[in-house]
Amino acid sequence: MSAPQKMNRRAMLQAGLGAGVGALAAGFLPAARPAEGCETPAQTEGPFYPTREQPDTDVDLTRVLGRTDRAAGDVVGIRGQVLDDALQPVAGALVEIWQANHHGRYHHDADPNPAAEDPAFQGWGRVRTGPGGHYSFTTVVPGAYPVDADWWRPPHVHFKVAKRGYHELVTQMYFAGEALNEADRLLQSIPEADRDRVVVTLADAAPHDDPPRTGVFNIVLQRVA
């Protein structure tokens, strides 16, 4: 990747982070807080929220409508529950995820990364939570990618969760055990005591299950006062 490309990516990421901090400072967070120790930290949306049309946006990002092949990479499940600030299930919340593919590239025209695209990878999925607030996706562990010479983003999945009557939450989910987590500027911007709320450990499924590993990521939304 050329230096100008790295700086463009860095500028876009930092602009997104600045916008997120500005929104918090402007008082868009509600006054009420969820039960102590249960808040889901907000993170920047970043510059690569999906803009391309694609054949589907279902919960299996490893298969694309009209294709028989499967996305490259380590297939994993992500499941969880959306809760309110009283830790009660939120049914009907729209959960969206988007991420880089196995090679570290997004399905986005503004992504300067020269890494390979994967036409078998969906890149973006969405689903509404069920009566118990549950959701699940099948995806791949995203590849890391360089922002600049001193910063590589670790594997992460972007989340946007919304429902009328609740404050929209934008955050990022990380994978436990990734060496790049320790130097990631966005993850490290979260207070240390709160970081484990966005870091997920993948657990092995039963033999022959698909996906073979799954992580649990529960999300707390705050009600509009």
Side-chain angles (χ1 to χ4, degrees):
M1 183 181 296
S2 68
Q5 288 174 321
K6 291 175 183 176
M7 290 307 295
N8 287 344
R9 180 187 283 271
R10 180 180 184 179
M12 287 186 288
L13 282 166
Q14 290 182 334
L17 179 59
V21 172
L24 300 187
F28 287 102
L29 282 180
R33 292 172 57 86
E36 184 65 28
C38 295
E39 304 94 326
T40 300
Q43 293 237 278
T44 173
E45 180 178 286
F48 304 124
Y49 182 78
T51 57
R52 291 187 190 178
E53 293 293 332
Q54 59 185 45
D56 55 51
T57 54
D58 66 5
V59 297
D60 189 348
L61 279 67
T62 70
R63 301 186 187 277
V64 173
L65 188 66
R67 300 183 63 98
T68 59
D69 52 341
R70 197 170 198 184
D74 183 7
V75 177
V76 294
I78 301 172
R79 62 181 176 85
Q81 190 176 24
V82 177
L83 305 166
D84 66 14
D85 42 17
L87 302 186
Q88 296 302 304
V90 178
L94 179 63
V95 182
E96 296 182 83
I97 67 169
W98 66 100
Q99 62 172 84
N101 65 22
H102 168 68
H103 308 292
R105 183 181 176 90
Y106 287 87
H107 284 318
H108 198 287
D109 293 333
D111 187 354
N113 193 348
E117 294 229 38
D118 183 356
F121 182 58
Q122 189 171 292
W124 173 35
R126 54 188 175 185
V127 69
R128 289 198 179 273
T129 56
H134 295 96
Y135 74 89
S136 66
F137 292 97
T138 299
T139 187
V140 299
V141 176
Y145 57 80
V147 177
D148 59 30
D150 301 316
W151 181 16
W152 277 69
R153 292 236 59 209
H156 61 281
V157 178
H158 295 261
F159 276 73
K160 182 181 288 188
V161 187
K163 184 181 179 181
R164 186 181 296 277
Y166 297 83
H167 290 270
E168 180 180 88
L169 174 71
V170 177
T171 191
Q172 298 178 32
M173 188 203 84
Y174 301 82
F175 296 85
E178 293 287 345
L180 290 171
N181 287 351
E182 298 303 316
D184 185 61
R185 298 173 192 174
L186 296 181
L187 177 57
Q188 296 302 314
S189 71
I190 298 173
E192 183 176 1
D194 300 334
R195 281 179 213 148
D196 60 352
R197 298 174 201 163
V198 294
V199 178
V200 165
T201 299
L202 296 172
D204 291 336
H208 311 298
D209 277 3
D210 185 23
R213 295 191 296 160
T214 298
V216 177
F217 185 47
N218 294 325
I219 297 164
V220 173
L221 292 183
Q222 298 187 34
R223 289 182 179 272
V224 175

